[in-house]
């Protein structure tokens, strides 16, 4: 390892760039989709930053390199790490557990061992590139042990952690055989961010129940232990967002506008396009959505000539068995609905098992009269925010599951309980039949809310809280009255 050091380090399981191999066999890096890199890129450049993460392919061993002004520090994951750490513990233990056990989590000790060892590898790599007193921001459930490992190795660092997925209620979390280690791992951070106020509450409750520490939102008192002084940790909500202006700009472009018109034409000019956009994941409630749509067609409340459901289901975690089964189920249901209700000229469901570039997504949002989000549990759901950002015409109706983080902010959407199929059907009909004036009123309120909290606001709030926590800890040697701070996001207004 070289002796290069950075003042600001971001760590996430995946790097913000994907490795692509061109036709002539040369490898290059392309910005991966997602807002995190957009939000953090300016901060990284200003602060002399580095990003630590996995390059997305097994056994890829690479030296650090520069990408668009950001230093990239790749972590190697072997085929065995992928199987036990990524597909196993991350996506077949933690993912289902943290999403309310919609699918059963599997607990295997060898997966846990791999999780510990990969987290240690990340912590070592971060420690090796962090300058004295640097700020480190660790992301998501794949790296929950990193804050503590890092604090042990480098007590001089300021450490933030943000959990992008939900944090479950104690009754569910307590199933985890390694629940204490996870909680202790996270408490190595100075600030722990969650999507929803409820997630932060679930975490604090788990700390009280498992460790007996006293908590008074948003402060958790971590008592003195051995050589480690007492500390105060902040656990609170920082709802993530998207690059709102960038998305709107894209949606306004003549190319995207033309493509949106083309999409409608290619679908046979239906009166209404209903859109679903998800990773193909069992947490997204795609089956519930298809059931509701199929019943509306069966009952004649919708006619295939009038309405098309476009379902984008981007491929995800395809080596995990639960995901394989889900794909079979969804594709069978789509086939059945199209077989039962499609005509030569009109398909009921246009199902697309691909990921699409941002431009195509923006065109789909512009074309869609209704966006249907039926997630059974979702940390935030950025698709809902992207749809709102793209609707600069103040039109379109958002039907949004109340089990998404986004529903805390987007209160003027049509909120649904996706388990209540009759309720979903009624909401779809209401969205389709909604008068222009009401659509406009609701969308304007949604747009105002999304503009107030874009991804830059999110990252700035988090980093401000982190700087403040460290400043106060420094003033008093590790402990003082953080409770006086203004915790604005915890009191986010309900629209
Ligand atoms: O936000 C949840 C998350 O798991 C991210 O950490 C991740 O980048 C994204 O969803 C996609 O998942 P994966 O990295 O497993 O393909």
């Amino acid at each position: 390892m070289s002796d290069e050091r950075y003042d600001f380090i971001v760590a996430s399981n995946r790097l913000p760039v994907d490795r692509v191999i061109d036709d002539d066999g040369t490898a290059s890096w392309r910005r991966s989709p997602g807002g995190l890199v957009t939000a953090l890129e300016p901060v990284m450049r200003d602060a002399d930053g580095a990003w630590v993460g996995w390059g997305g392919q097994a056994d890829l061993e690479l030296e650090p390199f520069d990408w668009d002004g950001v230093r990239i520090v790749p972590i190697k994951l072997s085929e065995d790490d992928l199987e036990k750490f990524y597909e196993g513990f991350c996506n077949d233990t933690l993912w289902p557990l943290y999403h309310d056990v919609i699918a059963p989590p599997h607990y295997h000790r060898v997966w846990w061992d791999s999780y510990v060892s990969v987290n240690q590898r990340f912590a070592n790599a971060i420690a090796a590139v962090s300058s004295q007193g640097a700020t480190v921001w660790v992301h998501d459930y794949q790296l929950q042990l990193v804050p503590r490992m890092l604090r042990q190795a480098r007590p001089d660092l300021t450490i933030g952690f943000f959990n992008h997925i939900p944090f479950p209620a104690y009754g569910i979390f307590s199933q985890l055989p390694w629940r204490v280690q996870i909680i202790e791992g996270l408490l190595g951070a100075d600030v722990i961010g969650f999507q929803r106020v409820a997630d932060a509450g679930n975490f604090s409750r788990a700390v009280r129940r498992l460790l007996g520490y006293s908590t008074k939102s948003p402060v958790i008192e971590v008592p003195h232990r051995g050589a480690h002084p007492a500390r105060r940790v902040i656990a609170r909500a920082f709802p993530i967002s998207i690059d709102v202006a960038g998305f709107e700009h894209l949606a306004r472009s003549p190319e995207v506008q033309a493509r949106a018109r083309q999409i409608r034409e290619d679908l046979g000019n239906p009166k209404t396009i209903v859109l679903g956009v998800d990773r193909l994941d069992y947490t997204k409630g795609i089956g519930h959505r298809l059931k509701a749509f199929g019943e509306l067609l069966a009952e004649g409340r919708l006619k295939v000539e009038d309405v098309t459901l476009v379902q984008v289901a981007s491929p995800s975690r395809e080596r995990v068995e639960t995901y394989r089964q889900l794909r079979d189920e969804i594709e069978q249901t789509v086939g059945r609905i199209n077989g039962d209700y499609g005509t030569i000229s009109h398909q009921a469901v246009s199902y697309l098992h691909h990921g699409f570039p941002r431009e195509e997504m923006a065109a789909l949002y512009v074309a869609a009269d209704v966006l249907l989000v039926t997630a059974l549990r979702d940390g935030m759901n950025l698709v809902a925010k992207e749809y709102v950002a793209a609707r600069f015409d103040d039109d379109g109706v958002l039907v949004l599951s109340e089990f998404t983080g986004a529903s805390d902010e987007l209160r003027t959407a049509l909120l649904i309980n996706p388990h209540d199929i009759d309720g979903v059907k009624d909401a779809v009909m209401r969205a389709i039949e909604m008068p222009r004036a009401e659509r406009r009123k609701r969308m304007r309120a949604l747009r105002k809310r999304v503009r107030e909290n874009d991804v830059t606001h999110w990252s700035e709030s988090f980093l401000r809280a982190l700087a403040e926590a460290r400043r106060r800890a420094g003033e008093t040697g590790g402990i003082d009255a953080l409770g006086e701070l203004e915790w604005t996001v915890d009191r986010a207004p309900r629209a």
Side-chain angles (χ1 to χ4, degrees):
M1 180 65 76
S2 74
D3 58 1
E4 54 187 62
R5 295 278 186 277
Y6 298 89
D7 295 335
F8 179 55
I9 292 97
V10 172
S12 57
N13 180 47
R14 282 185 194 272
L15 284 169
V17 284
D18 294 322
R19 193 158 182 263
V20 282
I21 310 287
D22 301 336
D23 292 343
D24 64 1
T26 50
S28 59
W29 295 90
R30 195 179 46 201
R31 167 196 289 261
S32 34
L36 196 54
V37 59
T38 319
L40 296 180
E41 229 181 327
V43 194
M44 302 281 279
R45 286 211 195 91
D46 292 352
D48 186 19
W51 199 308
V52 178
W54 168 54
Q57 288 163 24
D59 294 311
L60 203 58
E61 192 145 21
L62 296 166
E63 287 301 311
F65 61 93
D66 283 319
W67 174 81
D68 228 358
V70 175
R71 190 67 171 163
I72 301 284
V73 182
I75 297 285
K76 178 181 155 186
L77 293 186
S78 67
E79 193 51 59
D80 189 61
D81 296 328
L82 284 193
E83 208 183 291
K84 297 183 179 127
F85 159 76
Y86 173 70
E87 287 155 4
F89 199 77
C90 292
N91 291 324
D92 210 9
T93 304
L94 292 174
W95 183 268
L97 184 75
Y98 281 31
H99 288 87
D100 288 356
V101 297
I102 295 165
H106 296 110
Y107 304 115
H108 295 297
R109 284 163 285 183
V110 286
W111 289 0
W112 165 253
D113 292 344
S114 177
Y115 187 75
V116 174
S117 104
V118 172
N119 272 249
Q120 190 65 63
R121 202 175 310 154
F122 269 82
N124 294 347
I126 298 164
V129 296
S130 298
S131 60
Q132 183 68 24
T135 295
V136 180
W137 192 358
V138 182
H139 289 266
D140 229 355
Y141 64 103
Q142 299 95 342
L143 303 178
Q144 293 173 98
L145 304 180
V146 169
R148 180 169 199 250
M149 291 169 167
L150 209 48
R151 182 164 297 282
Q152 281 173 340
R154 293 287 306 271
D156 58 297
L157 302 178
T158 301
I159 305 168
F161 180 91
F162 186 77
N163 199 50
H164 291 249
I165 69 172
F167 195 90
Y170 183 69
I172 291 176
F173 181 71
S174 58
Q175 282 187 17
L176 187 67
W178 307 279
R179 57 197 186 184
V180 172
Q181 291 93 317
I182 292 284
I183 293 289
E184 288 190 328
L186 289 168
L187 286 173
D190 295 286
V191 175
I192 310 172
F194 296 92
Q195 299 282 25
R196 305 179 93 160
V197 175
D199 297 321
N202 288 342
F203 175 73
S204 297
R205 206 161 304 121
V207 171
R208 284 197 299 277
R209 297 287 296 270
L210 292 169
L211 302 175
Y213 296 172
S214 71
T215 70
K216 187 166 179 289
S217 175
V219 180
I220 297 174
E221 309 275 1
V222 177
H224 159 274
R225 250 201 328 191
H228 303 285
R231 298 164 47 235
R232 281 186 164 174
V233 173
I234 302 301
R236 53 165 281 217
F238 297 85
I240 200 172
S241 193
I242 57 160
D243 173 16
V244 178
F247 224 88
E248 174 167 343
H249 182 72
L250 194 61
R252 282 181 185 275
S253 75
E255 295 78 14
V256 165
Q257 290 290 310
R259 176 67 191 139
R261 285 191 293 275
Q262 184 68 49
I263 288 171
R264 186 171 283 273
E265 207 160 292
D266 290 350
L267 290 169
N269 279 315
K271 282 190 201 140
T272 307
I273 298 173
V274 178
L275 177 66
V277 176
D278 310 87
R279 265 188 320 100
L280 188 46
D281 195 297
Y282 50 82
T283 59
K284 305 292 183 181
I286 302 172
H288 293 62
R289 186 178 318 173
L290 290 171
K291 188 170 178 56
F293 190 67
E295 285 188 16
L296 287 171
L297 289 166
E299 291 160 10
R301 291 170 78 184
L302 290 180
K303 297 215 172 339
V304 74
E305 297 76 22
D306 295 339
V307 181
T308 303
L309 171 63
V310 177
Q311 177 63 55
V312 175
S314 52
S316 184
R317 305 172 187 166
E318 294 193 294
R319 301 200 316 189
V320 179
E321 183 52 31
T322 328
Y323 287 76
R324 269 207 279 261
Q325 280 172 17
L326 175 77
R327 181 173 178 191
D328 289 347
E329 278 165 31
I330 296 298
E331 294 186 353
Q332 196 179 45
T333 309
V334 169
R336 194 168 293 156
I337 294 176
N338 280 339
D340 285 348
Y341 307 108
T343 64
I344 294 287
S345 50
H346 290 94
Q347 220 181 1
V349 183
S350 173
Y351 170 82
L352 304 156
H353 184 243
H354 316 285
F356 288 102
R358 265 162 64 87
E359 292 73 15
E360 184 71 357
M361 293 314 305
L364 279 165
Y365 295 139
V366 170
D369 304 284
V370 178
L371 182 81
L372 190 47
V373 179
T374 52
L376 307 176
R377 180 55 78 198
D378 206 338
M380 177 50 64
N381 198 280
L382 294 178
V383 165
K385 292 190 173 181
E386 285 177 358
Y387 180 63
V388 170
R391 298 315 304 237
F392 62 87
D393 58 352
D394 292 336
D395 208 345
V397 182
L398 174 62
V399 179
L400 181 62
S401 162
E402 63 193 59
F403 299 114
T404 60
S407 71
D408 279 2
E409 295 170 90
L410 305 181
R411 306 300 295 173
T412 55
L414 292 185
L415 296 178
I416 51 160
N417 169 4
H419 298 282
D420 171 11
I421 299 296
D422 285 336
V424 175
K425 285 158 64 182
D426 290 345
V428 169
M429 292 311 295
R430 192 171 161 206
I432 291 174
E433 289 161 3
M434 190 180 283
R436 171 77 175 111
E438 186 182 347
R439 299 201 299 265
R440 187 181 167 83
K441 194 166 162 223
R442 286 176 179 272
M443 185 53 78
R444 285 173 86 110
L446 292 174
R447 288 178 57 73
K448 181 167 180 288
R449 195 75 185 89
V450 166
R451 272 197 304 262
E452 279 164 5
N453 177 31
D454 70 358
V455 74
T456 307
H457 178 260
W458 168 77
S459 62
E460 284 175 359
S461 321
F462 186 92
L463 292 171
R464 212 177 310 119
L466 194 52
E468 188 69 359
R470 172 41 66 117
R471 189 179 64 75
R472 297 205 172 211
E475 273 172 8
T476 57
I479 189 155
D480 84 338
L482 278 161
E484 293 158 21
L485 285 174
E486 274 281 311
W487 301 109
T488 44
V489 181
D490 273 6
R491 296 193 216 108
R494 294 281 163 115

